[in-house]
Amino acid sequence: MTSTAPGCVLVTVTGKDHPGITARLTGLLADAGAELLDVEQVVVQGRLTLCLLARLPESVGIPRALLFAARELGVALDFQAVETPDPGAPRPARYVVTAVGRALGAGQLHSLTSHLAQAGANVERIVRLSEPHLGSMELHVTLPPALEPQVLKRSLLALSMRDNTFDVALQRESLFRRGKRMVVMDMDSTLIRIEVIDELARAHGVGEQVSRITERAMQGEMDYDESLRQRVALLKGLDVDVLHRLAANLPLTEGAETLVRVLKRLGYRTAVISGGFSVAAEALKARLGIDHAYSNVLEAEGGRLTGRTVGAIVNARRKAELLEQLAAQEGILLEQVIAVGDGANDLLMLERAGLGIAFRAKPRLREAADTSISAGGLDTILYLLGLTGRELQEAG
């Protein structure tokens, strides 16, 4: 036996990976009567790092057999005496920082980790998510008591906006992070790349008038309901065939098909809740296999639009109400719902959901949402769920 004092010892194993290393070393610890308190193992490009935290019996030092075994196995051992962990000590809050981009290089990782270090966050673990390229990773961090998560979230958002090559999300590490069960999406400029009302207005020769009303609404000069009524009124007389042709050929946003396909394979429920129009939303529902679709209904008579809508307008408040009703209908907790949108009328919906994602949105919504996506496609959401590239290939 060595002369190291008994107690807790951190054994760090490094070297070329091959079968049997962990089995051999843990077997020797078990033979010595050691209590295994913690273990972590990672293999990067065939190189192993294995950490074993063990409490040795008072009469036993570090088994010399470990050193002989390491030599036979072709690995290096390092021993460090550490304080015995206090099981009753409060644990710091754990968070996950997810970085997603076209490619994450040393510069991006340096920028992100330097930012976390300056904020006082400690990186405990980094996990690669994407395959085969390094396009997404998770950083598991702990935050000091004085650091408010919302403050860190805003600073990470500012970092990603300055860099503009990757997105960063901060989530509390909890049961619900990987326990989401439903994804609700806006349609125009989120699930699809266009605004349907703008396309219809151009086809009807009233594009400029509709744009002016939209701008007034964005400037706060009129509410959403009134702006929608005025814009729809300008569509009076449009042949409904124009609407159906447009709905049949909607340009999907990058990653939309992958997102919905994988979610369905994994048993998630999906929905479109949109301030757009039902013909388009129902077409997407059928095309992608989405479970639910709610949107505004355009009234038509004699094959032409009347310039009016039917039923309640799907505005910001209605979107949030529909999300709550749908979650209750499906028996899903709000904490298990993800909401995705790009505009101000999505804000309440994003706030009600367990995770609200601003997708290629204006700065105001990005700042208010839980996280934002600007550099990637809709399938980036899958990485925020903690899924790896290998898992996505299996689910795809």
Side-chain angles (χ1 to χ4, degrees):
M1 301 296 177
T2 69
S3 60
T4 303
C8 283
V9 176
L10 179 64
V11 182
T12 303
V13 185
T14 57
K16 184 178 180 181
D17 185 44
H18 56 84
I21 297 174
T22 305
R24 178 82 176 275
L25 298 180
T26 53
L28 291 172
L29 287 173
D31 292 342
E35 178 186 0
L36 188 62
L37 301 176
D38 199 1
V39 60
E40 190 80 28
Q41 177 172 318
V42 63
V43 177
V44 178
Q45 297 296 310
R47 302 296 296 180
L48 167 74
T49 299
L50 168 64
C51 295
L52 302 160
L53 180 64
R55 180 187 287 118
L56 299 170
E58 292 186 4
S59 59
V60 177
I62 297 173
R64 189 176 299 276
L66 282 176
L67 300 173
F68 292 135
R71 189 175 305 161
E72 292 177 359
L73 293 167
V75 296
L77 289 189
D78 177 72
F79 301 97
Q80 182 179 359
V82 297
E83 294 183 4
T84 303
D86 180 4
R91 295 185 178 183
R94 300 179 66 86
Y95 287 80
V96 174
V97 177
T98 307
V100 185
R102 301 296 180 187
L104 297 177
Q108 285 84 3
L109 185 57
H110 167 73
S111 176
L112 179 55
T113 52
S114 296
H115 190 86
L116 291 170
Q118 291 170 6
N122 184 55
V123 179
E124 295 190 342
R125 185 183 179 208
I126 300 177
V127 179
R128 174 179 180 162
L129 297 179
S130 57
E131 297 282 350
H133 304 294
L134 186 58
S136 180
M137 64 179 72
E138 281 184 353
L139 290 79
H140 294 244
V141 304
T142 54
L143 308 186
L147 179 58
E148 289 289 335
Q150 285 299 317
V151 173
L152 180 58
K153 188 206 84 169
R154 287 193 294 269
S155 68
L156 288 172
L157 172 63
L159 171 67
S160 67
M161 291 177 69
R162 288 195 305 271
D163 187 280
N164 206 33
T165 63
F166 66 99
D167 296 310
V168 185
L170 177 70
Q171 298 180 73
R172 179 70 181 265
E173 179 64 305
S174 69
L175 171 66
F176 293 116
R177 186 177 79 91
R178 288 183 64 114
K180 298 293 190 292
R181 302 310 307 150
M182 182 166 70
V183 177
V184 174
M185 296 164 282
D186 178 42
M187 180 173 66
D188 298 67
S189 296
T190 299
L191 191 56
I192 59 176
R193 300 197 306 270
I194 62 171
E195 294 284 333
V196 171
I197 194 168
D198 291 343
E199 299 300 319
L200 295 177
R202 279 192 282 271
H204 200 45
V206 293
E208 291 186 5
Q209 296 96 307
V210 166
S211 294
R212 283 196 293 269
I213 296 171
T214 300
E215 181 61 26
R216 289 185 60 196
M218 291 178 62
Q219 296 300 325
E221 297 177 13
M222 68 173 68
D223 65 19
Y224 178 82
D225 291 17
E226 180 58 26
S227 72
L228 181 68
R229 280 191 286 265
Q230 290 192 19
R231 286 178 291 172
V232 169
L234 290 170
L235 300 179
K236 182 178 179 179
L238 177 66
D239 193 321
V240 295
D241 285 344
V242 175
L243 176 57
H244 286 286
R245 285 196 297 271
L246 179 63
N249 296 282
L250 294 169
L252 296 174
T253 298
E254 174 193 3
E257 288 182 291
T258 299
L259 172 66
V260 177
R261 183 178 68 251
V262 172
L263 290 175
K264 288 175 64 66
R265 289 288 300 274
L266 295 177
Y268 285 71
R269 304 297 285 173
T270 54
V272 171
I273 299 181
S274 169
F277 303 128
S278 60
V279 172
E282 291 295 332
L284 286 173
K285 179 178 179 235
R287 177 177 171 183
L288 297 176
I290 293 171
D291 298 302
H292 305 277
Y294 301 92
S295 55
N296 295 303
V297 179
L298 293 173
E299 184 182 67
E301 292 179 356
R304 295 188 178 276
L305 300 182
T306 66
R308 297 186 295 271
T309 59
V310 178
I313 291 177
V314 180
N315 53 23
R317 188 173 302 278
R318 181 61 178 156
K319 282 189 170 190
E321 292 172 351
L322 286 168
L323 182 146
E324 288 188 335
Q325 292 174 15
L326 188 55
Q329 175 185 325
E330 293 284 355
I332 295 172
L333 299 174
L334 289 177
E335 288 85 352
Q336 295 177 290
V337 179
I338 295 174
V340 189
D342 72 294
N345 65 334
D346 296 311
L347 177 57
L348 294 179
M349 181 174 73
L350 267 58
E351 289 178 342
R352 299 285 175 87
L355 178 63
I357 300 174
F359 181 74
R360 299 181 182 176
K362 298 291 191 298
R364 180 181 174 187
L365 185 64
R366 294 178 66 180
E367 292 170 2
D370 293 315
T371 189
S372 67
I373 297 173
S374 296
L378 277 174
D379 52 347
T380 297
I381 293 170
L382 298 168
Y383 290 122
L384 300 184
L385 298 176
L387 297 174
T388 67
R390 186 173 302 172
E391 290 170 333
L392 294 182
Q393 290 175 4
E394 294 174 358

